Amino acid sequence: MSKPTLILVYETEAACRQRLKADGFAEQHALEISYYLAQSTDLAPEFPDIERTCAARGISFLPVELDDAPTVLAGRPAATTLVWTLTDGIAYFRGGAAPALARLNGLPTLGADDSLFALCQDKFRSGAVLSVLGLPTPPAGLARDGEWLVRPPASAAGWFVKPNRLGAKIGIWPDSHCGDLDHALALSRRVHDAYRDAVVVQPYVEGRNVRASFLGVRPDAGPEALGIFFVDSGTDFQTMDDSMALYGDTGAAAIAEGRYTEPELIAVADSQPEAAVHIRSIAAMLMCALGLRDVFSMDFRVETDNTVHLIEFEICPGLPCFDFRSYCRSRWGMSLAEAMAQTAASRFER
């Protein structure tokens, strides 16, 4: 039997940017969109370290660019192959094709099945599913280019406006927390003009930002293995500029020029244990009802009275980002490369 092989499939910033420019996106907007794939840029220098840590566990490591994946995955033996999708996407990005390609070739995947790649990348549909499950996610309206598709509910605290399919939970601009629905519609026009996307419009919720990260380093890892941290950056929410300071070349430049300081991570359980318990129960529900497994993250807002708001979940979290590295160190006592290799080994054991 051939040696167990972990195949890490990823889309590059350059490939995405070239495609977007060919499709008529402005240079700056193509740069902003493709930035979301910068985790593949940041992780690439660590491929030799991942290869070494995998080899120590009897596993071969094979990083594969997305465009080469159809050829590489075809005909591989299912018993000794595991496919890990690093970069996702169903609209601007194409990473969601990787788990589907694995299924087409009868290969097992690390992470959620391919149906969840489509769900979590569409915030409006994802929120509807989370709401049906009875989870505490803010209700949402949907607007496209100045027109309401679904009107949002009333909100005394104003509304938060974010792209429906682009990237994470960011608001793009500082005025994404707005006080009237005419402003929300104006923002929907700006988002459509720049990124050709609809916007989700949700009642603004108070609280501190919380990131909950999970990696199934051990075969029996469950919600207790979640790392739950306040992410205190000094701002209420992340804008496009803030987000671009996290990864890749733009992030490195921001740090070098003193324009960015890593947010502080503080364990939620240290000051609000009740909220941490609630978050673990939400993770348990998502693992059971939706099939989250192996690797994922969730974003919350937590109020001082322990009220928890589930904002969204991700099945391709930013592995090389500071928060996920910190989680690997604090929860598992491992570097990112070691944690990735051990997670693959655990899956092969199963």
Side-chain angles (χ1 to χ4, degrees):
M1 182 178 290
S2 59
K3 189 176 182 179
T5 301
L6 172 64
I7 299 178
L8 187 73
V9 182
Y10 61 96
E11 184 176 8
T12 66
E13 289 183 87
C16 176
R17 191 154 51 245
Q18 182 177 359
R19 221 172 15 85
L20 292 170
K21 289 166 65 176
D23 196 31
F25 280 88
E27 176 81 30
Q28 179 60 29
H29 296 145
L31 174 66
E32 292 169 346
I33 294 169
S34 63
Y35 140 79
Y36 285 104
L37 301 174
Q39 65 166 304
S40 63
T41 303
D42 287 347
L43 195 59
E46 298 182 55
F47 286 166
D49 197 22
I50 300 171
E51 181 178 16
R52 178 185 58 79
T53 56
C54 282
R57 293 161 175 80
I59 300 170
S60 296
F61 174 65
L62 181 60
V64 175
E65 291 192 22
L66 181 63
D67 289 324
D68 298 326
T71 301
V72 173
L73 298 184
R76 293 198 64 93
T80 55
T81 302
L82 183 62
V83 179
W84 188 336
T85 302
L86 176 66
T87 52
D88 57 9
I90 58 168
Y92 308 90
F93 321 113
R94 300 168 296 151
L101 281 171
R103 183 158 60 89
L104 181 65
N105 287 280
L107 301 175
T109 57
L110 192 145
D113 69 58
D114 50 293
S115 65
L116 285 188
F117 279 73
L119 180 63
C120 79
Q121 287 283 300
D122 188 310
K123 298 181 184 66
F124 185 76
R125 294 178 185 178
S126 174
V129 171
L130 296 176
S131 180
V132 168
L133 289 173
L135 297 174
T137 188
L142 186 69
R144 181 185 297 121
D145 197 16
E147 300 290 337
W148 290 116
L149 303 177
V150 178
R151 290 189 67 88
S155 172
W159 293 266
F160 192 71
V161 182
K162 59 187 177 183
N164 187 44
R165 299 176 301 165
L166 173 63
K169 60 190 177 300
I170 67 170
I172 301 293
W173 301 292
D175 60 343
S176 292
H177 175 200
C178 59
D180 63 78
L181 291 179
D182 286 340
H183 191 165
L185 285 180
L187 286 170
S188 80
R189 295 187 189 95
R190 288 167 63 188
V191 168
H192 189 270
D193 287 346
Y195 309 109
R196 306 180 192 174
D197 200 5
V199 297
V200 169
V201 182
Q202 295 175 307
Y204 174 83
V205 293
E206 300 286 346
R208 295 167 70 185
N209 296 315
V210 169
R211 168 64 56 84
S213 301
F214 179 86
L215 188 64
V217 171
R218 289 203 314 259
D220 60 347
E224 78 289 341
L226 214 63
I228 307 171
F229 295 92
F230 290 115
V231 184
D232 288 342
S233 63
T235 59
D236 185 35
F237 61 89
Q238 203 176 81
T239 65
M240 174 66 82
D241 287 343
D242 296 331
S243 187
M244 291 187 73
L246 292 175
Y247 298 105
D249 294 337
T250 56
I255 293 172
E257 295 167 10
R259 293 183 286 106
Y260 173 75
T261 303
E262 277 190 3
E264 185 178 7
L265 298 175
I266 304 169
V268 173
D270 288 349
S271 59
Q272 295 186 246
E274 181 181 332
V277 169
H278 191 186
I279 287 171
R280 291 191 197 281
S281 72
I282 291 171
M285 165 65 87
L286 290 177
M287 294 174 83
C288 178
L290 292 186
L292 293 189
R293 65 174 192 180
D294 297 330
V295 58
F296 61 86
S297 67
M298 300 180 294
D299 290 296
F300 298 86
R301 297 273 276 190
V302 173
E303 299 188 48
T304 55
D305 65 356
N306 292 312
T307 299
V308 170
H309 305 275
L310 172 60
I311 305 302
E312 64 188 44
F313 68 92
E314 294 288 346
I315 54 178
C316 281
L319 299 186
C321 196
F322 72 96
D323 62 294
F324 206 87
R325 290 184 190 274
S326 176
Y327 163 67
C328 290
R329 290 192 302 268
S330 61
R331 180 61 183 82
W332 298 112
M334 296 180 178
S335 68
L336 176 60
E338 291 168 336
M340 291 177 67
Q342 187 55 47
T343 299
S346 296
R347 275 301 306 274
F348 278 118
E349 289 173 12
R350 288 202 305 237

